[in-house]
Amino acid sequence: MERVLYVVARENPLLVGYLMTRTAARSSGGPLVDIKLDERRGERRLASEARDPDRRSRDRRLRPSLDRDLRSRGYATVRQSGVSPPRPGEPEPAPAMAWQPRSTWERRAVRAGRRRYVLWGSIVMLLAAAGVSIVVARSVRWTPVAPPPDPQVAPQVAPQVEEALPPPPASKAETVVPAAPPLPPAKPAPIRIVSMRSAGVVLSVDSKAGTLVLEDWGAADATGRRRVEVAPDARVLLSERDEQAGDLKYPFKDTVISLSEIRRGDYVVVELQGPEGKELARSVVVTLRR
């Protein structure tokens, strides 16, 4: 008995279903057909030289390689002729993949009829459920109709209710106009805080009034003079070079002095902060003294 083995490459597993469909369409009296995936991970014998002793059988060594067919078509075909049938009492070897032959048109027609009956039965059940729901909804909303009047019974007359007269209009003296609610107070405009720096030569000092007059060429005044008001808690420092400084990054030393110790002709740097137009000096540093 002839046997046909289809070896499918691992990269194309969908070819298994295609080959099963193609081989199932053939007659049942053909050769035995097996379909397997290529389970090889690599050539076991990597060395080209022969081994002694060689444990491979002769027919196995002469079998052609399947790599070319696997790369070109995705599968390879191996035909084995003269396969001995199983001995009596031994079970037949199970094929690698089994499939059922294609059903006949009578079976397909029977299955199609069953599906049609199931479909129509489902439609009828849905229509019946819809009809029952409509009937139940109408019975819930049904209102009884009043019976016709009996001519022998005198009709009852409903008592007449006198309409209430509208109240008399109010006089002008009694008319009171409600007072309008007071308007909410307007919110004050937000105050803008300004921070700025000014530097220049001191022209005059008034320690009692806490003011300085600087010769500042960047001031708005045409004469280049700027009047600075010093805050009571302002910091007044004298910055001098420290000849004995241990750290070269800080060669200056700062000494706290009073406003009255600032002399005319000193060069000062003033830090101003406060509302716009009313800035006060928060820091006064004498950087150069003549």
Side-chain angles (χ1 to χ4, degrees):
M1 181 181 297
E2 185 180 4
R3 180 187 178 193
V4 180
L5 174 63
Y6 290 94
V7 180
V8 182
R10 293 193 306 270
E11 294 80 7
N12 301 320
L14 297 180
L15 286 177
V16 175
Y18 172 75
L19 294 175
M20 291 175 61
T21 306
R22 296 289 296 176
T23 54
R26 301 177 182 177
S27 60
S28 59
L32 295 177
V33 178
D34 287 346
I35 303 174
K36 293 184 179 181
L37 281 174
D38 186 11
E39 299 178 353
R40 299 177 301 169
R41 299 296 179 181
E43 188 66 26
R44 290 182 296 176
R45 179 172 292 182
L46 300 178
S48 58
E49 63 272 6
R51 297 294 182 89
D52 190 17
D54 193 354
R55 291 176 296 181
R56 294 185 178 182
S57 58
R58 181 176 181 82
D59 56 348
R60 184 179 178 183
R61 295 185 60 186
L62 297 178
R63 184 172 302 169
S65 177
L66 306 179
D67 296 338
R68 183 182 302 174
D69 294 341
L70 291 177
R71 286 194 299 268
S72 60
R73 296 187 302 174
Y75 69 94
T77 307
V78 178
R79 294 182 176 272
Q80 298 178 354
S81 60
V83 178
S84 61
R87 298 178 181 180
E90 294 183 357
E92 296 184 359
M97 294 186 182
W99 61 90
Q100 296 181 357
R102 190 175 182 181
S103 59
T104 59
W105 66 271
E106 292 90 352
R107 295 181 180 179
R108 293 197 295 271
V110 171
R111 288 198 295 269
R114 291 177 182 176
R115 289 195 293 267
R116 190 180 301 108
Y117 293 151
V118 172
L119 176 62
W120 282 107
S122 303
I123 294 175
V124 171
M125 292 181 64
L126 290 176
L127 293 177
V132 171
S133 61
I134 293 174
V135 172
V136 171
R138 288 186 177 182
S139 63
V140 170
R141 297 181 181 179
W142 177 79
T143 55
V145 180
D150 192 356
Q152 298 181 0
V153 179
Q156 296 180 359
V157 180
Q160 297 182 357
V161 180
E162 297 181 358
E163 297 181 357
L165 298 177
S171 61
K172 294 183 179 181
E174 297 178 355
T175 304
V176 178
V177 179
L183 297 176
K187 296 182 179 179
I191 301 175
R192 181 183 177 187
I193 303 299
V194 180
S195 298
M196 58 186 302
R197 174 179 292 183
S198 180
V201 179
V202 178
L203 299 179
S204 63
V205 182
D206 189 353
S207 59
K208 294 182 179 180
T211 58
L212 290 174
V213 178
L214 306 179
E215 186 180 358
D216 188 1
W217 296 105
D221 193 357
T223 60
R225 295 186 177 184
R226 184 184 186 92
R227 186 175 179 275
V228 178
E229 295 184 9
V230 183
D233 56 345
R235 185 181 60 172
V236 182
L237 301 175
L238 173 62
S239 180
E240 297 176 325
R241 180 177 294 275
D242 189 4
E243 300 297 340
Q244 300 178 356
D247 191 358
L248 298 179
K249 294 183 179 179
Y250 303 97
F252 297 92
K253 66 177 181 179
D254 297 337
T255 306
V256 179
I257 61 176
S258 62
L259 185 62
S260 59
E261 296 180 18
I262 298 178
R263 306 171 187 175
R264 181 179 179 181
D266 291 347
Y267 189 85
V268 297
V269 178
V270 183
E271 298 287 344
L272 302 172
Q273 186 178 11
E276 188 176 6
K278 298 181 181 180
E279 300 88 354
L280 297 178
R282 303 294 179 180
S283 174
V284 180
V285 182
V286 180
T287 60
L288 181 61
R289 171 161 286 181
R290 296 182 181 179

